[in-house]
Amino acid sequence: MNAFGGGFDVEEIDIDETRGREVLVDIKASGLCHSDLHFAETNFGMEPPMVLGHEIAGVVAVIGPEVTEFSIGDHVVGSLVQFCGAGFAEQALLHENQLIAIDPAVPFAEASVLGCGTITGAGAVINSAGVRPGQTVAVIGLGGVGLNVISGARLAGAARIIGIDLNDEKLELARGFGASDVVNGRNGDAVAAVQQLTDGGVDHAFEVIGRKDTALQAIAMLAVGGTASLIGIHGAGSTIELDPNDFLRWQKKVQGVYMGHANIKRDIPFSTPRSSSRVG
Ligand code: NAD
Ligand code: ZN
């Protein structure tokens, strides 16, 4: 990526030698997370040129002299926790702390999304929001990350999981991932629909798009004492206006989620068997 808004270019670049605990990975699959598109369009403080892409699966090609955890030929998943960029390439050089060995039986394309979409979505539910069995959940935006929020809510034992999107195909996918109810935001007021389905509002709402209107919807659709978790990335400098009484009188809470508060060495292995049977 050479200029904001200029799209992606295919170029030859040199990759440094592996030093210390670095590992060179032959990339076999790389996910396309919407964050890559945000960073290609908007200046969030990272200047071009840069190699984007941060959901990778591949095979260890070379290991640095101090690497202890990996051998050449291991199948691995990489994550940007501790690192950013270099996935939309044939090879990537990463510190071994950013890599997880995976079962070679897991296909690379499915494994790649473990490094961001899965740990962010499922982690938002389990680590960040701490959804408890029996609670009610709404998820606004059912892309790669939102569908993993649905899976995470199912794993956490949520009693009701409501998926909201503008695209009927996404709503169908969400049912496959574990949504008990779906709402198409084009068919009217999504907040009213959720309130009606849950008799007043949900315990947890997740915004997984990065829009002001849907972030406000997430807060509005909460029950008394509910928590809105904001995952979608907003344009640099954007602001949201909040009603303090939502937090005082109705005891609502809002939190931001970065990479699902993940510990990748724990969360990627935990997610692998379940995710590989669902993604794709
Ligand atoms: P995606 O483009 O795959 O999915 C977005 C979904 O939102 C689509 O299904 C789209 O139809 C739906 N949508 C758009 N406008 C809508 C509206 N008004 N109402 C309801 N649905 C609407 O994106 P993704 O890769 O899943 O990423 C989602 C967001 O999460 C992005 O902003 C991305 O940058 C961000 N993200 C954040 C983190 C983090 O750590 N916080 C990590 C990964 C991704
Ligand atoms: Zn991502």
Side-chain angles (χ1 to χ4, degrees):
M1 194 283 271
N2 286 298
F4 293 116
F8 295 102
D9 302 308
V10 179
E11 285 179 20
E12 292 281 329
I13 57 165
D14 293 326
I15 296 184
D16 212 351
E17 283 180 10
T18 43
R19 296 179 207 172
R21 295 176 65 194
E22 288 174 343
V23 176
L24 185 68
V25 177
D26 284 335
I27 307 283
K28 299 293 183 188
S30 187
L32 175 60
C33 172
H34 208 114
S35 302
D36 291 312
L37 302 180
H38 288 314
F39 278 82
E41 297 279 322
T42 308
N43 188 346
F44 286 95
M46 273 166 54
E47 292 290 334
M50 52 187 156
V51 183
L52 290 166
H54 60 273
E55 291 182 324
I56 60 157
V59 178
V60 173
V62 181
I63 55 172
E66 292 163 29
V67 168
T68 54
E69 236 184 286
F70 298 94
S71 309
I72 291 168
D74 281 353
H75 288 215
V76 289
V77 166
S79 173
L80 64 60
V81 174
Q82 288 205 4
F83 180 81
C84 203
F88 296 157
E90 289 174 4
Q91 292 189 314
L93 190 60
L94 298 94
H95 191 279
E96 65 176 330
N97 280 352
Q98 296 160 244
L99 290 171
I100 307 295
I102 54 157
D103 181 345
V106 180
F108 289 114
E110 298 180 4
S112 66
V113 299
L114 291 165
C116 177
T118 302
I119 55 167
T120 299
V125 175
I126 294 164
N127 302 330
S128 318
V131 171
R132 308 287 308 152
Q135 288 193 310
T136 51
V137 169
V139 185
I140 314 175
L142 303 171
V145 182
L147 290 172
N148 279 291
V149 175
I150 301 258
S151 281
R154 190 170 160 180
L155 270 177
R160 198 106 192 228
I161 306 169
I162 306 167
I164 302 152
D165 204 290
L166 305 177
N167 178 333
D168 282 332
E169 282 176 28
K170 298 296 180 76
L171 298 178
E172 250 342 278
L173 273 175
R175 283 197 189 278
F177 274 70
S180 57
D181 305 86
V182 294
V183 171
N184 190 323
R186 289 193 196 283
N187 298 342
D189 182 354
V191 174
V194 168
Q195 285 170 334
Q196 199 180 7
L197 283 166
T198 51
D199 203 16
V202 284
D203 298 312
H204 292 275
F206 296 85
E207 199 277 354
V208 207
I209 307 162
R211 293 174 55 98
K212 186 183 268 199
D213 57 349
T214 45
L216 291 172
Q217 283 177 2
I219 298 166
M221 63 179 61
L222 293 173
V224 173
T227 302
S229 296
L230 305 185
I231 302 175
I233 295 182
H234 294 247
S238 38
T239 56
I240 300 177
E241 209 165 87
L242 302 173
D243 176 352
N245 286 322
D246 271 346
F247 308 104
L248 302 170
R249 184 149 184 221
W250 306 116
Q251 293 289 294
K252 295 181 179 182
K253 295 175 269 306
V254 181
Q255 63 177 354
V257 174
Y258 180 67
M259 298 300 289
H261 292 96
N263 171 341
I264 60 167
K265 299 277 182 190
R266 175 195 66 196
D267 294 353
I268 290 181
F270 171 74
S271 300
T272 300
R274 293 169 184 82
S275 302
S276 63
S277 64
R278 288 182 180 286
V279 176

